[in-house]
């Protein structure tokens, strides 16, 4: 594809994150499918998303505003960031609409939470070698500016709407300070968001708590365990929308987290993902035999002296933490897709556990890269394209197994 | 009960699930090297008794102890009902057997050549050495049962505890499994075997435990003392007698026993089976 490999500075981090997330989620997906906790993984994905929006919400309400520099009038706040929350319950669609309205009120050129101003964005794109970026990105509708920089990466960005939308690049270019309450170039001081309120940190805490609760849920005689997981899933989904309705400036970030439409990725998030993947890989190397025994036959494992509840919790927390970090890096939709589909394909194709792990990890990484590349080629949202690509890779295995009747 | 110091002891124990006691006042002692059969109708509390002994359930009252005579916790080689295992796991027979080494190894240690050797030896012991590389889920019920017994043996247990190991097997498969258990018993292994089929157990076990939840019954004793018609009638709630066929005892509901005496074709051991 012309232009794709010429602009690796834009997609390199995102593609690397996708490869890592695809491989790790593919591997973990084998556990998810074999343990029959696909629905649990889906619930944890929703909980991770809830953690992200809660981080924005808490930062908005509990991080004190910094005093403006002496002799300087208080800089005007971004309208979106400080606007009063809408009253009454709002649907997800309403939240999006509210966000769009707010954007219109504020003007796209207005600095917004967590992203760069037009000037900073133009400077960034120029810095990475994308000519005429400022013009391309400074328009209200990036997709409507194909004439801006036809040969440059920014023009490609502008043409690609969802895939390379304006805010995606803004988010990429923004310094990795997590949730912020105001724009970054107004000359006024930025509120410092403490580490414990970073979206990733809050998401991880939420996921760990949810995994602990789900693994400790008592067995009810009148309902299935699946119903309890469904309760967690629906509660997290509903809360996510409700909290998001109170932080309109976060809806764009939320969309990226949920659907994985981000074009690029902040290096800090890539590092967090790499660190998480490394830690989880180490955990699995050290405890593989316990994970396998507890997953295959928990009762016998417990009878032989293994702490099955602790081991099961560790496995689930590891999966949850990867979901949280992968969702933040590449989006919840592709992360969940990689957590299920490659494992399904691998388990259909091979008859050994070791081969299933290797094939699932390979399929996950391949689907991630191929999906991102196809999104560039066909001008599609990256997250959805990655998910569909992972699904397409499974279809041959499904067909073959259906024909063979095994 | 043998004269040796018991390695398992129930003292006035109450078993059951949270807020749902099944049986109380249970007193039972099992010595090393014994072959004990636990028999009773379906839903009678056999598995609950075993799960309490294994530490999977806490006794609701009383004391349950499992200590070696010289000290230290008893190691149980548990053979679960194979129907409870999930067959979607793509594991070889050897990989399943090697799981038995997990508890021996402990945390942060990897299986080595010694673990491999002991796992293969356990497979050879139950006559499935040639199945090591076969997918577990593709094996027959009898072969899977042997794999699970081998896994329990790989743990080098003090007690082998089996829950309905011959369920769903044909006569040949059941006989093969029971022969394996008899062989292990002769080598000194302590065996606890749960079955709802009296005939399966009473030809091998030194002692029998009869357990029934409703109406409540818990009785333990030497096999010869337990297979009396009056005791069996109390256990099953119907007239039962034990007949000897080809040197093996079989339990027959009285009506079947009558039919068996009347002529061929009437010796089906029903009711108690």
């Amino acid at each position: 594809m012309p232009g794709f490999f010429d602009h690796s500075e834009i997609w390199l981090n995102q593609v690397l994150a996708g490869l890592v997330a695809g491989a790790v989620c593919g591997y973990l997906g084998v556990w998810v499918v074999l343990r029959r906790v696909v629905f649990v993984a889906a619930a944890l994905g929703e909980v991770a998303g809830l953690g992200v929006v809660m981080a924005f919400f808490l930062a908005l309400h509990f991080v004190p505003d910094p005093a403006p520099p002496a002799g300087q009038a208080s800089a005007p706040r971004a309208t979106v960031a400080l606007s009063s929350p809408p009253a009454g319950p709002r649907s997800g669609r309403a939240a999006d609409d509210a966000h769009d309205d707010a954007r219109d009120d504020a003007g796209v050129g207005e600095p917004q939470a967590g992203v760069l101003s037009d000037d900073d964005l133009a400077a960034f794109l120029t810095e990475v070698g994308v000519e005429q970026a400022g013009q391309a990105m400074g328009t209200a509708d990036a997709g409507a500016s194909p004439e801006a920089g036809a040969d440059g990466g920014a023009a490609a960005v502008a043409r690609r709407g969802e895939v390379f939308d304006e805010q995606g690049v803004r988010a990429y270019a923004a310094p990795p300070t997590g949730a912020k309450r105001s724009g970054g170039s107004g000359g006024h001081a930025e509120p410092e968001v403490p580490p414990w309120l970073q979206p990733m940190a809050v998401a991880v805490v939420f996921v760990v708590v949810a995994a602990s609760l789900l693994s400790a849920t008592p067995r009810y005689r009148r309902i299935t365990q699946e119903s309890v997981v469904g309760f967690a899933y629906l509660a997290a989904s509903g809360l996510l929308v409700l909290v998001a309705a109170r932080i309109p400036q976060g809806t764009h970030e939320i969309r990226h987290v949920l659907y994985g439409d981000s074009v690029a990725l902040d290096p800090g998030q890539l590092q967090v993902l790499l660190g998480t993947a490394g830690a989880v890989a180490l955990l699995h190397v050290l405890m593989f035999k316990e994970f396998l025994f507890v997953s295959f036959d928990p009762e016998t494992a417990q009878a032989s002296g293994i702490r099955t509840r602790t081991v099961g919790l560790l496995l689930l927390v590891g999966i949850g933490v990867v979901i949280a970090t992968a969702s933040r890096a590449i989006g919840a939709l592709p992360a969940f897709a990689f957590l299920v589909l490659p494992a399904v394909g691998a388990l259909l194709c091979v008859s050994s556990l070791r081969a299933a792990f290797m094939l699932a990890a390979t399929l996950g990484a391949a689907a991630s890269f191929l999906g991102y590349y196809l999104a560039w080629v066909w001008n599609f949202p990256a997250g959805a394209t990655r998910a569909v690509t992972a699904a397409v890779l499974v279809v041959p295995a499904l067909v073959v197994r259906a024909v063979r009747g095994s | 009960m043998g004269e040796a110091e018991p390695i398992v002891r129930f003292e006035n124990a109450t078993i059951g699930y949270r807020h749902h006691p099944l049986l109380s006042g249970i007193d039972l002692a099992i010595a090393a090297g014994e072959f004990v059969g636990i028999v009773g109708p379906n839903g009678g509390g056999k598995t609950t008794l075993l799960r309490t002994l294994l530490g999977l359930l806490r006794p609701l009252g009383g004391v349950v102890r499992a200590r070696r005579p010289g000290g230290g916790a008893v190691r149980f080689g548990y053979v679960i009902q194979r129907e409870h295992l999930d067959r979607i796991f793509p594991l070889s027979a050897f990989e399943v057997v090697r799981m038995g080494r997990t508890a021996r190894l402990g945390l942060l240690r990897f299986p080595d050549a010694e673990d491999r050797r002991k796992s293969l030896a356990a497979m050879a012991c139950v006559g499935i050495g040639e199945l090591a590389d076969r997918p577990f889920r593709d094996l027959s019920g009898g072969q899977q049962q042997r794999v699970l017994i081998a896994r329990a043996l790989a743990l080098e247990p003090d007690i082998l505890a089996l829950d309905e190991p011959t369920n769903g097997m044909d006569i040949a498969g059941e006989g093969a499994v029971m022969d394996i258990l008899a062989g292990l018993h002769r080598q000194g292994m302590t065996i606890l075997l749960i079955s709802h089929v009296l005939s399966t157990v009473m030809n091998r076990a030194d002692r029998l435990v009869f357990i029934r939840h409703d109406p409540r019954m818990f009785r333990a004793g030497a096999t010869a003392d337990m297979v009396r018609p009056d005791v069996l009638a109390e256990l099953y709630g119907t007239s039962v007698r034990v007949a000897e066929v080809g040197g093996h005892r079989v339990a027959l509901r009285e009506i079947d026993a009558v039919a068996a005496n009347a002529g061929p074709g009437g010796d089906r051991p029903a009711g108690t089976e």
Side-chain angles (χ1 to χ4, degrees):
Chain A
M1 166 67 194
F4 180 78
F5 294 103
D6 298 333
H7 297 289
S8 61
E9 69 280 358
I10 293 177
W11 51 254
L12 184 61
N13 285 346
Q14 178 58 243
V15 166
L16 284 175
L19 289 171
V20 172
V24 174
C25 289
Y27 165 82
L28 291 175
V30 176
W31 294 104
V32 168
V33 173
L34 289 178
R35 288 175 62 95
R36 301 178 188 265
V37 292
V38 169
F39 203 11
V40 173
L44 291 179
E46 289 297 307
V47 170
L50 176 62
V52 170
V53 297
M54 280 302 292
F56 278 92
F57 180 81
L58 293 172
L60 184 66
H61 288 87
F62 297 107
V63 175
D65 291 336
Q72 182 179 336
S74 180
R77 287 292 198 178
T79 309
V80 175
L82 297 182
S83 61
S84 299
R90 308 290 298 264
S91 68
R93 187 71 218 162
D96 287 345
D97 292 341
H99 170 53
D100 293 341
D101 294 342
R103 281 188 64 195
D104 293 342
D105 293 343
V108 172
E110 292 286 333
Q112 295 188 30
V115 297
L116 294 184
S117 68
D118 291 336
D119 290 343
D120 286 346
L121 179 64
F124 159 73
L125 289 171
T126 302
E127 184 183 314
V128 299
V130 180
E131 300 297 329
Q132 304 176 20
Q135 294 90 325
M137 292 292 99
T139 56
D141 182 357
S145 307
E147 71 282 0
D151 295 329
V157 167
R159 279 200 306 271
R160 290 181 195 291
E162 284 290 319
V163 180
F164 284 104
D165 76 356
E166 165 197 356
Q167 298 238 4
V169 178
R170 284 178 194 274
Y172 165 59
T177 51
K180 294 178 182 177
R181 299 179 59 201
S182 64
S185 64
H188 58 278
E190 297 264 347
E192 272 302 317
V193 178
W196 59 270
L197 266 186
Q198 296 293 329
M200 183 89 75
V202 178
V204 167
V205 169
F206 270 51
V207 161
V208 169
V209 170
S212 305
L213 290 176
L214 286 174
S215 67
T217 304
R219 302 276 168 184
Y220 296 93
R221 284 170 171 253
R222 299 179 181 221
I223 56 173
T224 62
Q225 193 69 5
E226 195 177 42
S227 313
V228 178
V229 178
F231 166 83
Y233 176 89
L234 293 168
S237 304
L239 280 171
L240 193 156
V241 173
L242 291 180
V243 176
R246 298 297 192 200
I247 44 168
Q249 84 280 13
T251 53
H252 182 78
E253 183 78 13
I254 292 162
R255 201 190 68 191
H256 281 306
V257 169
L258 292 182
Y259 301 118
D261 293 343
S262 289
V263 176
L265 186 69
D266 166 66
Q269 289 184 12
L270 175 60
Q271 289 165 9
V272 170
L273 179 64
L274 286 171
T276 303
V280 171
L282 180 64
L283 177 70
H284 277 254
V285 167
L286 294 176
M287 297 195 62
F288 182 86
K289 66 183 190 303
E290 282 83 8
F291 286 158
L292 181 58
F293 200 177
V294 166
S295 299
F296 178 64
D297 186 357
E299 190 162 309
T300 304
Q302 188 180 352
S304 64
I306 295 171
R307 296 179 183 273
T308 51
R309 180 161 288 188
T310 305
V311 172
L313 177 61
L314 274 175
L315 181 56
L316 199 55
V317 165
I319 291 169
V321 170
V322 167
I323 289 174
T325 50
S327 296
R328 187 83 177 107
I330 67 168
L333 174 63
F336 183 54
F338 297 152
L339 207 56
V340 176
L341 298 172
V344 168
L347 289 167
L348 285 170
C349 288
V350 299
S351 296
S352 101
L353 191 59
R354 185 186 301 262
F357 282 129
M358 293 175 67
L359 182 57
T362 305
L363 282 175
S368 179
F369 179 79
L370 192 59
Y372 186 92
Y373 180 77
L374 293 176
W376 180 295
V377 172
W378 290 332
N379 192 18
F380 279 140
T385 312
R386 279 169 156 164
V388 171
T389 305
V392 167
L393 292 180
V394 178
V395 171
L398 285 169
V399 171
V400 168
R401 285 296 166 191
V403 169
R404 289 185 180 178
S406 58
Chain B
M1 192 193 111
E3 293 178 358
E5 185 181 345
I7 57 173
V8 167
R9 187 187 290 276
F10 286 75
E11 295 174 359
N12 194 27
T14 300
I15 62 168
Y17 296 84
R18 261 194 324 177
H19 313 306
H20 297 283
L22 284 178
L23 281 168
S24 55
I26 296 175
D27 289 300
L28 175 68
I30 298 173
E34 278 196 303
F35 191 143
V36 177
I38 303 173
V39 183
N42 289 325
K46 304 183 297 294
T47 300
T48 306
L49 181 74
L50 183 61
R51 286 169 58 85
T52 305
L53 174 60
L54 294 172
L56 303 175
L57 289 173
R58 289 185 179 176
L60 301 182
V63 176
V64 177
R65 286 202 182 92
R67 306 286 294 177
R68 290 173 174 166
V74 166
R75 263 201 309 271
F76 288 101
Y78 179 37
V79 181
I80 195 172
Q81 292 187 36
R82 64 185 185 285
E83 293 82 7
H84 291 180
L85 297 176
D86 199 335
R87 282 164 181 74
I88 66 170
F89 279 75
L91 295 167
S92 69
F94 172 75
E95 286 171 322
V96 173
V97 172
R98 196 173 55 184
M99 281 180 199
R101 300 296 299 166
T102 302
R104 293 284 297 194
L105 283 169
L107 277 174
L108 311 182
R109 288 186 58 196
F110 303 98
D112 58 14
E114 177 73 357
D115 297 301
R116 179 179 177 79
R117 188 186 65 74
K118 288 187 172 174
S119 299
L120 290 173
M123 296 187 79
C125 179
V126 296
I128 52 168
E130 74 285 0
L131 301 179
D133 295 327
R134 291 269 302 279
F136 176 75
R137 60 188 174 195
D138 292 347
L139 301 178
S140 69
Q143 290 170 330
Q144 287 183 351
Q145 198 62 61
R146 292 193 201 193
V147 169
L148 297 180
I149 294 172
R151 183 180 65 174
L153 293 176
L155 178 64
E156 299 173 282
D158 299 306
I159 298 178
L160 193 59
L162 307 98
D163 191 357
E164 302 279 9
T166 57
N167 244 8
M169 283 189 184
D170 57 23
I171 293 174
E174 177 181 323
V177 168
M178 293 308 295
D179 286 346
I180 289 169
L181 297 181
L184 291 168
H185 180 226
R186 280 194 296 273
Q187 294 169 29
M189 176 68 71
T190 308
I191 295 177
L192 267 177
L193 171 63
I194 280 183
S195 178
H196 67 279
V197 183
L198 177 60
S199 299
T200 301
V201 182
M202 67 180 170
N203 288 297
R204 308 286 187 178
D206 304 323
R207 290 203 301 144
L208 293 177
V209 174
F210 287 169
I211 182 169
R212 176 170 177 163
H213 165 51
D214 186 24
R216 299 191 176 194
M217 174 191 183
F218 184 87
R219 186 174 294 190
T223 302
D225 298 333
M226 297 292 285
V227 293
R228 297 198 324 256
D230 58 324
V231 180
L232 295 177
E234 186 184 354
L235 175 66
Y236 290 109
T238 184
S239 295
V240 177
R241 83 173 209 193
V242 175
E244 192 158 318
V245 180
H248 285 268
R249 289 174 293 191
V250 291
L252 302 168
R253 196 154 58 97
E254 195 63 37
I255 188 170
D256 298 319
V258 171
N261 290 336
D267 57 347
R268 182 174 54 88
T272 55
E273 306 297 60

